């Protein structure tokens, strides 16, 4: 039977096991939308802005480990995907975006809704394709999914001219891909594995830096084995949260600009860094010149170009983390470092004395909101954050026990990511309690997806942490710009009335005593629910390593007795 | 003059890439966004019709060549990459230099210079003539210096091409996939 290009797209999605796609129709993608009517097995979620579709696909991918799919039309539809692609690119999230393109004969003529989409998205995709014939279409689809989910995962865009979607041919799906220059998995050199194991054995003050790669490689068990075997404390990157249960005695917590002070001190005083599936982002290292000066460094990452990029290392191993750790673990003998661990405990105690969670002020404090959410959700929800103060506070005050239970835009820091990504995550893990934890600023960037959530009856809880400011920018203005709050105070709509307009059950919380009831209310509602937490306007996120400062040069929250 | 030329600050990278539209753009885009300083980039076909070959000379102060090679490998259409700066290799640049030859003395000077260099006159006119030179880039620089006093009016260079010496061969036996449905299954075509 002859199938149209649009139908072939759907057939390919079926072959790839896709059952939900996020998108927005338009002229150049209409033949594929028309084909959807014949494929009820694949559920299409109509978004309100294509950026939302890309973030939903991303959230779905992060929540499931499977490839998320977004679909949009040519021109503005495709350009609206760009932020979502860049977000997925920075955080190695596997998504495939399908875009319509004007008919082949019109390409290059500035036709209506024509944009050079493969050109525009070249730097923000792992790879992209412009399909130039229907015969090529199944190969391209196969390759797109393969590239997205293998090696260092990432976004792939497939641009399909309208006439290719209309043309017909007999459907076939290739069994394998032939990509001459694509090398998804490098093999670890045996001598490197041996020297890494020896360095681990010799270290007195080792620390593991666990990143997103742990989850992407599925190396949670291996991480834990290595840490426990050699008694190595573990610091997590923002995207590494969940790599190991945060209640584990060896887990110190998040590192970096707003990381746990003990983690940053430990890194700066370590004699060995074991960096696993992380990329030494500037938000993690601070000043590179003084970064972990006395430490030897082992770096294991699937992407060879990450080795020695920011931090020169003694042993760099490019390879799949799970495989490489399996090679290393048998070469390491059981050991522990009680003095080193005790030293880290001291740093941790100093932090808990400063902890805002122990202060009692009149108003609602964001950290207490997040910590109470943790408490009343049993610490077991899937939280999807936006970007800013609430995100860092989530990372600090919502410890996660399981992998892929905190989803957040790390590398790109995309405001507006949280809410749509939470919708995508819920589609991926419908059985789990999903909370979108967003600020009042970022939420307003993509809150049009409220309609999507209602139309799709998505059972998610939206927690808006409302301080009436672009809080993180305000914090920088307070510290570095003498409190000149240029363009950070925000007029906000009445979020509860806004929810009413969408028919979304809602609640406003301004006192800590309401927290338990708020969570209970959220849980009682099937479908979207919105809770606005009105918090202190000028709260700060501590600790803070100023951009470019030494990692242990942290601005700390003063200890209570030092106040006034 | 030896064939070896190891200018410390420059690195020479050779790459086999798939011969299809957009690949040059991908490579150039990579260099631009990673802020690698390209001195010279040449691309041309090879004896395998599906493969093109690039020679890229970069300023190595900004990025270690290993980083550049690793990043090139991340491009799906890049098949093989090698950094050859530390190896023995042959490199050539080709220049066409149009010089003033509107009097006997300048014409004589040009022919004289051509004899001292691997250069020859390929177009001789009463007003201007074209000198062609194929040599290492440094030799061409010397030729330009020699011709400059006579009067260079136009010039073009190809950029450097390079090849490792001996049996270290940069090649790939990769055969491209035939991307078509089996002939019997070919669908109807119509235009819109």
């Amino acid at each position: 039977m002859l199938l149209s290009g649009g139908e072939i797209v759907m057939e390919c999605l079926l072959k790839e096991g896709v059952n939900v796609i996020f998108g927005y129709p338009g002229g150049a993608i209409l033949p594929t939308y028309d084909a959807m009517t014949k494929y009820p097995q694949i559920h299409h979620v109509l978004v309100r802005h294509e950026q939302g579709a890309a973030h939903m696909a991303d959230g779905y991918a992060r929540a499931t480990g499977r490839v998320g799919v977004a679909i949009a039309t040519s021109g503005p539809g495709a350009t609206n995907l760009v932020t979502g692609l860049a977000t997925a690119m920075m955080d190695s999230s596997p998504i495939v975006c399908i875009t319509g393109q004007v008919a082949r004969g019109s390409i290059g003529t500035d036709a209506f809704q024509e944009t050079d989409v493969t050109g525009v998205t070249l730097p923000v995709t792992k790879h992209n394709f412009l399909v130039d014939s229907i015969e090529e279409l199944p190969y391209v689809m196969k390759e797109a999914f393969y590239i997205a989910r293998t090696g260092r995962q990432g976004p792939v865009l497939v641009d399909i001219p309208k006439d290719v979607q209309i043309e017909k041919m007999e459907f076939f799906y290739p069994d394998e891909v032939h990509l001459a220059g694509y090398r998804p998995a490098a093999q670890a050199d045996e001598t490197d594995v041996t020297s890494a194991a020896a360095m681990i054995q010799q270290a007195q003050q080792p620390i593991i830096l666990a990143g997103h790669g742990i989850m992407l490689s599925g190396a949670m068990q291996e991480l834990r084995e290595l840490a426990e075997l050699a008694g190595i404390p573990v610091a997590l990157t923002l995207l590494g949260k969940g790599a190991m249960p945060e209640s584990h005695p060896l887990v110190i917590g998040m590192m970096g600009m707003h990381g746990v002070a003990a983690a940053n001190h430990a890194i700066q005083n370590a004699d060995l860094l074991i960096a696993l599936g992380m990329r030494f982002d500037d938000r993690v290292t601070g000043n590179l010149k003084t970064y972990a000066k006395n430490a030897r460094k082992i770096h294991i990452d699937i992407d060879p170009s990450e080795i020695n990029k920011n931090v020169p290392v003694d042993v760099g191993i490019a390879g799949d983390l799970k495989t490489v750790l399996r090679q290393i673990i048998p070469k390491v003998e059981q050991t522990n470092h009680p003095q080193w661990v005790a030293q880290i405990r001291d740093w941790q105690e100093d932090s808990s004395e400063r902890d805002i969670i122990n202060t009692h002020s009149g108003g609602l404090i964001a950290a207490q909101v997040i910590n109470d959410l943790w408490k009343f959700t049993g610490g077991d929800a899937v939280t999807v954050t936006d970007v800013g103060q609430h995100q860092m506070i989530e990372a600090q005050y919502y410890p996660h026990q399981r992998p892929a239970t905190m989803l957040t835009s790390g590398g790109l820091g995309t405001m507006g990511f949280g809410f749509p990504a939470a919708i995508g995550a819920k589609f991926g893990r419908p059985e789990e309690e999903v909370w979108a934890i967003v600020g009042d600023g970022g939420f307003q960037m993509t809150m049009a997806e409220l309609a999507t959530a209602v139309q799709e009856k998505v059972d998610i809880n939206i927690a808006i942490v409302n301080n009436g400011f672009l809080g993180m920018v305000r914090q920088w203005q307070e510290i570095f710009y003498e409190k000149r709050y240029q363009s950070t105070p925000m007029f906000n709509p009445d979020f509860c009335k806004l929810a009413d307009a969408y028919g979304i059950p809602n609640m406003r919380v301004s006192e800590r005593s309401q927290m338990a009831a708020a969570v209970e209310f959220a849980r009682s509602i099937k479908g979207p629910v919105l809770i606005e937490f009105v918090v202190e306007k000028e709260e700060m996120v501590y600790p803070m390593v100023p951009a470019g400062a030494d990692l242990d040069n942290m601005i700390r929250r003063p200890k209570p007795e030092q106040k006034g | 003059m030896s064939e070896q030329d190891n200018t410390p600050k420059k690195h020479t990278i050779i790459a086999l890439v798939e011969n299809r539209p957009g690949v040059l753009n991908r490579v150039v885009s990579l260099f631009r966004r990673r802020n690698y300083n390209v001195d010279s980039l040449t691309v041309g076909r090879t004896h395998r019709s599906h493969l093109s070959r690039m020679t890229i000379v970069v300023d190595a102060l900004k990025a270690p060549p290993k980083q550049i090679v690793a990043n090139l490998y991340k491009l799906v259409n890049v098949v093989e990459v090698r950094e050859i700066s530390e190896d023995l290799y042959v490199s050539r640049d080709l220049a066409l230099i149009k010089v003033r030859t509107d009097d006997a003395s300048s014409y004589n000077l040009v022919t004289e210079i051509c004899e001292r260099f691997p250069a020859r006159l390929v177009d001789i006119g009463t007003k201007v003539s074209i000198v062609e030179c194929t040599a290492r880039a440094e030799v061409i620089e010397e030729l330009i210096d020699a011709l400059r006093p006579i009067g260079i009016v136009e010039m073009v260079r190809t950029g450097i091409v390079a090849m490792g010496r001996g049996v270290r061969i940069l090649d790939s036996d990769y055969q491209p996939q035939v991307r078509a449905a089996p002939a019997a299954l070919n669908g109807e075509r119509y235009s819109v």
Side-chain angles (χ1 to χ4, degrees):
Chain A
M1 196 176 79
L2 297 180
L3 296 185
S4 71
E7 288 163 345
I8 286 170
V9 169
M10 301 308 286
E11 289 286 344
C12 294
L13 294 178
L14 279 182
K15 291 278 185 194
E16 292 295 335
V18 174
N19 52 30
V20 61
I21 57 180
F22 307 92
Y24 204 104
I29 195 70
L30 260 179
T32 299
Y33 268 79
D34 190 48
M36 280 179 206
T37 57
K38 296 176 190 161
Y39 294 85
Q41 317 92 302
I42 298 177
H43 180 64
H44 178 270
V45 175
L46 175 65
V47 299
R48 293 301 181 272
H49 185 286
E50 290 85 350
Q51 182 186 348
H55 290 329
M56 285 177 206
D58 189 344
Y60 177 90
R62 293 181 202 225
T64 61
R66 297 198 296 271
V67 178
V69 179
I71 182 163
T73 193
S74 64
T79 55
N80 279 346
L81 293 171
V82 169
T83 304
L85 287 166
T87 306
M89 184 72 172
M90 282 289 254
D91 288 348
S92 309
S93 185
I95 65 172
V96 168
C97 289
I98 297 162
T99 49
Q101 180 55 278
V102 300
R104 281 169 291 182
S106 302
I107 290 179
T109 67
D110 302 323
F112 178 65
Q113 293 196 328
E114 182 190 356
T115 303
D116 170 16
V117 174
T118 43
V120 167
T121 61
L122 183 59
V124 294
T125 50
K126 185 175 172 186
H127 193 62
N128 62 23
F129 298 90
L130 172 60
V131 180
D132 35 51
S133 70
I134 190 167
E135 289 80 9
E136 208 188 35
L137 185 55
Y139 293 98
V140 167
M141 291 294 288
K142 176 98 184 172
E143 289 167 8
F145 276 84
Y146 179 74
I147 291 169
R149 69 164 180 262
T150 54
R152 179 172 180 177
Q153 300 172 26
V156 179
L157 180 134
V158 181
D159 200 24
I160 312 174
K162 186 173 188 178
D163 56 330
V164 173
Q165 298 169 47
I166 294 169
E167 253 186 59
K168 290 187 173 180
M169 74 165 186
E170 196 75 33
F171 175 66
F172 62 95
Y173 203 58
D175 295 328
E176 44 188 47
V177 293
H178 291 274
L179 291 161
Y182 185 62
R183 295 166 171 78
Q187 291 299 311
D189 190 286
E190 193 58 29
T191 48
D192 286 340
V193 169
T194 307
S195 30
M199 282 164 71
I200 292 168
Q201 207 68 66
Q202 289 155 15
Q204 299 301 310
Q205 305 190 158
I207 183 167
I208 289 173
L209 313 179
H212 194 195
I214 302 282
M215 262 73 80
L216 292 171
S217 170
M220 288 74 71
Q221 181 57 34
E222 287 72 16
L223 166 66
R224 191 169 174 159
E225 268 180 50
L226 177 65
E228 287 175 350
L229 177 66
I232 309 171
V234 177
L236 306 168
T237 68
L238 176 63
L239 296 189
K241 272 177 72 80
M244 207 161 135
E246 287 188 67
S247 60
H248 193 287
L250 284 170
V251 174
I252 315 169
M254 185 172 73
M255 66 184 101
M257 181 174 271
H258 294 292
V260 176
N264 290 347
H265 282 303
I267 289 166
Q268 292 299 75
N269 288 281
D271 66 355
L272 177 67
L273 299 190
I274 307 157
L276 306 178
M278 54 85 74
R279 57 186 178 83
F280 292 109
D281 183 272
D282 57 270
R283 288 305 195 254
V284 149
T285 62
N287 183 357
L288 284 170
K289 289 197 182 76
T290 59
Y291 180 70
K293 262 194 313 210
N294 303 317
R296 295 209 283 173
K297 296 169 187 86
I298 299 167
H299 190 186
I300 308 172
D301 196 281
I302 197 159
D303 181 350
S305 77
E306 288 297 342
I307 312 286
N308 290 316
K309 184 182 80 176
N310 292 343
V311 173
V313 295
D314 300 273
V315 173
I317 302 177
D320 171 57
L321 202 46
K322 189 183 173 85
T323 314
V324 177
L325 287 179
R326 275 273 154 251
Q327 288 172 273
I328 290 177
I329 290 168
K331 297 185 196 295
V332 176
E333 282 167 38
Q334 183 141 23
T335 178
N336 53 52
H337 312 281
Q339 275 186 319
W340 174 230
V341 171
Q343 166 73 76
I344 292 169
R345 289 275 171 278
D346 285 349
W347 287 318
Q348 283 173 321
E349 268 170 40
D350 176 72
S351 293
S352 65
E353 284 172 33
R354 301 169 190 264
D355 200 331
I356 191 169
I357 223 71
N358 301 320
T359 67
H360 301 279
S361 79
L364 197 57
I365 292 170
Q368 295 173 343
V369 169
I370 306 282
N371 204 236
D372 284 352
L373 283 179
W374 167 76
K375 191 162 74 185
F376 296 123
T377 56
D380 204 36
V382 175
T383 64
V384 188
T385 82
D386 213 74
V387 169
Q389 285 186 319
H390 73 278
Q391 175 192 34
M392 293 298 109
I393 293 167
E394 204 285 350
Q396 294 176 347
Y397 290 98
Y398 198 117
H400 288 264
Q401 298 297 102
R402 295 180 296 140
T405 52
M406 187 218 185
L407 314 179
T408 192
S409 165
L412 198 68
T414 307
M415 284 176 69
F417 170 84
F419 175 43
I423 294 175
K426 183 68 186 180
F427 273 100
R429 307 228 306 251
E431 72 291 352
E432 300 224 34
E433 180 177 357
V434 175
W435 283 78
I437 300 177
V438 298
D440 46 316
F443 179 63
Q444 289 183 69
M445 286 190 169
T446 47
M447 68 183 180
E449 305 308 334
L450 281 170
T452 310
V454 175
Q455 185 166 358
E456 293 288 335
K457 302 183 182 68
V458 186
D459 186 17
I460 60 166
N461 309 321
I462 307 158
I464 303 177
V465 184
N466 181 2
N467 60 2
F469 268 106
L470 295 173
M472 188 57 91
V473 184
R474 189 208 60 75
Q475 173 165 344
W476 282 57
Q477 288 171 331
E478 176 171 340
I479 301 174
F480 306 114
Y481 297 90
E482 296 169 326
K483 297 197 180 186
R484 289 187 295 276
Y485 294 155
Q486 174 62 45
S487 305
T488 44
M490 291 201 102
F491 162 80
N492 286 330
D494 181 326
F495 288 111
C496 290
K497 278 191 185 161
L498 182 75
D500 282 339
Y502 286 95
I504 294 175
N506 57 80
M507 180 175 174
R508 179 173 290 121
V509 174
S510 48
E511 281 173 27
R512 202 172 176 189
S513 58
Q514 298 168 273
M515 286 301 305
V519 173
E520 198 181 323
F521 170 68
R523 287 179 148 185
S524 71
I525 306 287
K526 219 43 193 137
V529 52
L530 183 149
I531 302 175
E532 179 190 7
F533 298 94
V534 183
V535 300
E536 288 282 306
K537 293 179 98 62
E538 300 191 22
E539 197 37 69
M540 305 278 277
V541 179
Y542 293 110
M544 179 180 187
V545 182
D550 303 345
L551 188 60
D552 50 0
N553 176 14
M554 289 168 276
I555 305 172
R556 303 293 304 274
R557 186 183 299 280
K559 289 187 188 184
E561 66 268 23
Q562 290 170 344
K563 268 185 183 166
Chain B
M1 278 183 287
S2 88
E3 285 295 350
Q4 186 73 25
D5 165 41
N6 281 339
T7 318
K9 277 178 270 174
K10 305 281 183 227
H11 282 282
T12 304
I13 291 163
I14 51 179
L16 287 176
V17 303
E18 285 183 75
N19 180 16
R20 45 161 86 202
V23 176
L24 176 61
N25 186 21
R26 287 176 196 278
V27 172
V28 172
S29 170
L30 165 71
F31 278 75
R32 180 187 52 75
R33 71 177 180 273
R34 292 282 175 195
N35 207 11
Y36 300 150
N37 222 345
V38 178
D39 236 49
S40 151
L41 188 155
T42 59
V43 56
R45 292 186 179 176
T46 67
H47 60 300
R48 301 184 191 273
S49 60
H50 56 280
L51 290 176
S52 294
R53 175 156 161 156
M54 292 183 177
T55 305
I56 308 162
V57 181
V58 286
D59 194 331
L61 286 175
K62 276 203 164 152
K66 270 191 179 170
Q67 277 291 312
I68 300 174
V69 170
N71 273 295
L72 279 168
Y73 268 125
K74 282 171 76 171
L75 298 178
V76 171
N77 305 117
V78 172
V79 180
E80 291 287 342
V81 187
R82 191 175 299 156
E83 198 254 329
I84 57 171
S85 314
E86 303 300 318
D87 307 337
L88 294 172
Y89 67 95
V90 177
S91 79
R92 288 291 180 270
D93 194 354
L94 184 151
L96 295 176
I97 307 168
K98 194 178 281 178
V99 286
R100 197 174 57 79
T101 48
D102 54 357
D103 57 49
S105 74
S106 53
Y107 177 78
N108 288 341
L109 260 174
V110 170
T111 33
E112 221 172 87
I113 291 167
C114 282
E115 277 164 25
R116 286 196 281 124
F117 284 89
R120 61 194 179 113
L121 280 163
V122 289
D123 177 50
I124 299 168
T126 53
K127 290 193 170 119
V128 291
S129 301
I130 299 176
V131 176
E132 180 205 298
C133 178
T134 305
R136 288 193 297 116
E138 297 70 25
V139 175
I140 290 179
E141 297 295 340
E142 286 171 30
L143 172 65
I144 293 166
D145 287 344
L147 290 173
R148 198 183 295 277
I150 303 164
I152 297 174
V153 294
E154 189 181 347
M155 194 183 99
V156 62
R157 288 169 76 165
T158 57
I160 291 162
V161 293
M163 186 179 280
R165 291 175 65 186
V167 292
R168 277 181 61 103
I169 289 159
L170 183 76
D171 194 12
S172 166
D173 52 11
Y174 146 73
Q175 287 299 322
Q177 191 177 22
V178 180
R179 292 183 160 206
L185 300 178
N186 256 342
E188 62 182 88
R189 279 178 173 275
Y190 58 87
S191 57
V192 279

